[in-house]
Amino acid sequence: MNETTRKSPAAKVAIGAITALVAIIVLVVAFNAWTIVGVGKEKVGATFGKVHESALGSGFYIVNPLADFERYDLQEVTYTWEDLGVPAQDNLKTSMDVAITGHFISGMTANVRENIGSSDGFMASQVNRRVPAMIVEVGKELAVVSQDFYGETTLARMETEIKFRLNKELQQRGYQITTVKFSDINLPQVVTAAIVKTKQRQQEVNEQLAKLKIADLQAQEKTAEAQAASKSAAFNATAAELTADAELYRIQRVAEGNLALSASVTDKLIELKEAQAGLLWNGVMPTTMLGATPNVLMNLK
């Protein structure tokens, strides 16, 4: 009987267990001996607590199976904070949402892991705490009263200033802010109520001004009508006066003509006219006349 057949069942079990363990180790090592880094990402490895000096860019890599890796986004990622209470210099808080977009800086992720930690750890310790504090700080500097947050100028200045100050602190740590945007601005209730009352008063003033304007237009219309009527009456009076003057002139001319005619009528002219008309009379009554019978002449003496 050879040596193999002489092994006890316990030895066989032990050999099988060892073989299985070795196989498992080989599989684990083989599985962890490579890594893939996606597009727009970097991975930073660490072996036995020591961070690797350089990060791995996009691609496929054969790596130390005992190393562990952290992934960092070089592509832009947006984080939002909702209902932040931002006070103005009047100490009234305005509610607003803010969206911060940023990314890790290529080539600095190894320093990030060495000094701060993972991607999530960096966002928690460096970004999430700084952003609200920076917004409150800048908002109070730039907004005199809460209504200023409604103005595009104030918000634009806030976005620019917050981005500048955040980058001043974060870029040296390996992270860059690209955009800061505010939205859903809600003024304090007391300010909103005051604005509503102001708008109501303004509406009432506008209505009164509209009524005054209508009354003014109506007055102007009546004035124009009165002026037109006055001009018409004056025209009619002038026309009547001219008509009267014309009639008087005609009467005067007729009278003057009659006077001239009277002055020109003389006895000689009358006799001439009567002679021409066969009406000349010598002042003696006729002594004969015709009777009823033809050829009978009656003597009246």
Side-chain angles (χ1 to χ4, degrees):
M1 183 179 293
N2 58 33
E3 184 178 357
T4 302
T5 58
R6 291 197 301 267
K7 289 181 179 178
S8 66
K12 294 181 179 179
V13 171
I15 293 172
I18 293 173
T19 303
L21 179 61
V22 170
I24 291 173
I25 293 174
V26 170
L27 289 175
V28 170
V29 170
F31 181 79
N32 289 284
W34 58 273
T35 188
I36 296 176
V37 183
V39 176
K41 308 289 189 297
E42 279 188 354
K43 283 186 176 181
V44 179
T47 305
F48 302 121
K50 180 175 177 58
V51 176
H52 300 176
E53 293 183 358
S54 58
L56 302 178
S58 300
F60 175 83
Y61 297 90
I62 301 298
V63 296
N64 185 343
L66 300 179
D68 66 281
F69 290 87
E70 288 288 344
R71 188 183 68 174
Y72 299 86
D73 278 312
L74 304 182
Q75 295 174 323
E76 293 184 343
V77 179
T78 300
Y79 301 90
T80 59
W81 288 259
E82 297 180 352
D83 296 328
L84 286 178
V86 183
Q89 294 177 22
D90 59 6
N91 291 323
L92 296 176
K93 289 186 178 182
T94 298
S95 174
M96 61 184 70
D97 297 345
V98 62
I100 302 291
T101 301
H103 61 86
F104 286 96
I105 300 173
S106 178
M108 296 186 67
T109 53
N111 291 332
V112 172
R113 183 167 188 185
E114 177 72 31
N115 298 316
I116 299 172
S118 65
S119 173
D120 292 338
F122 183 93
M123 296 305 298
S125 64
Q126 301 298 314
V127 178
N128 292 345
R129 291 192 309 168
R130 293 176 189 275
V131 168
M134 189 70 68
I135 292 173
V136 170
E137 177 184 338
V138 175
K140 196 163 187 178
E141 288 180 9
L142 299 182
V144 178
V145 293
S146 299
Q147 292 91 319
D148 291 343
F149 290 123
Y150 260 16
E152 295 182 0
T153 301
T154 300
L155 290 179
R157 291 177 61 195
M158 285 180 61
E159 291 170 358
T160 301
E161 187 65 20
I162 291 170
K163 176 182 174 181
F164 172 77
R165 295 188 188 185
L166 286 176
N167 280 330
K168 187 175 181 180
E169 296 182 6
L170 294 177
Q171 282 179 345
Q172 60 186 344
R173 292 174 170 83
Y175 195 84
Q176 175 156 350
I177 302 295
T178 55
T179 59
V180 177
K181 289 295 180 183
F182 291 99
S183 62
D184 198 15
I185 312 299
N186 295 303
L187 294 176
Q189 184 63 35
V190 62
V191 176
T192 303
I195 291 175
V196 170
K197 290 182 179 180
T198 300
K199 288 185 176 295
Q200 289 175 345
R201 288 195 298 269
Q202 185 62 45
Q203 182 65 27
E204 292 173 356
V205 170
N206 291 338
E207 290 176 357
Q208 292 298 324
L209 290 175
K211 291 179 180 179
L212 290 175
K213 187 174 182 179
I214 292 174
D216 182 58
L217 291 174
Q218 290 175 344
Q220 292 179 10
E221 183 178 357
K222 290 181 179 179
T223 300
E225 291 176 353
Q227 290 176 348
S230 177
K231 289 181 179 179
S232 177
F235 177 79
N236 292 336
T238 302
E241 183 179 353
L242 292 175
T243 301
D245 290 343
E247 182 64 18
L248 179 59
Y249 177 77
R250 187 186 65 78
I251 294 173
Q252 289 176 348
R253 294 298 297 170
V254 170
E256 291 174 356
N258 291 337
L259 290 175
L261 180 60
S262 298
S264 64
V265 175
T266 61
D267 293 340
K268 295 295 185 181
L269 179 59
I270 293 173
E271 290 177 358
L272 178 60
K273 291 298 182 182
E274 289 177 345
Q276 290 175 350
L279 299 176
L280 184 60
W281 181 48
N282 57 6
V284 180
M285 293 296 292
T287 57
T288 61
M289 65 176 294
L290 294 175
T293 302
N295 301 324
V296 177
L297 182 63
M298 297 180 65
N299 187 359
L300 298 178
K301 293 182 179 182

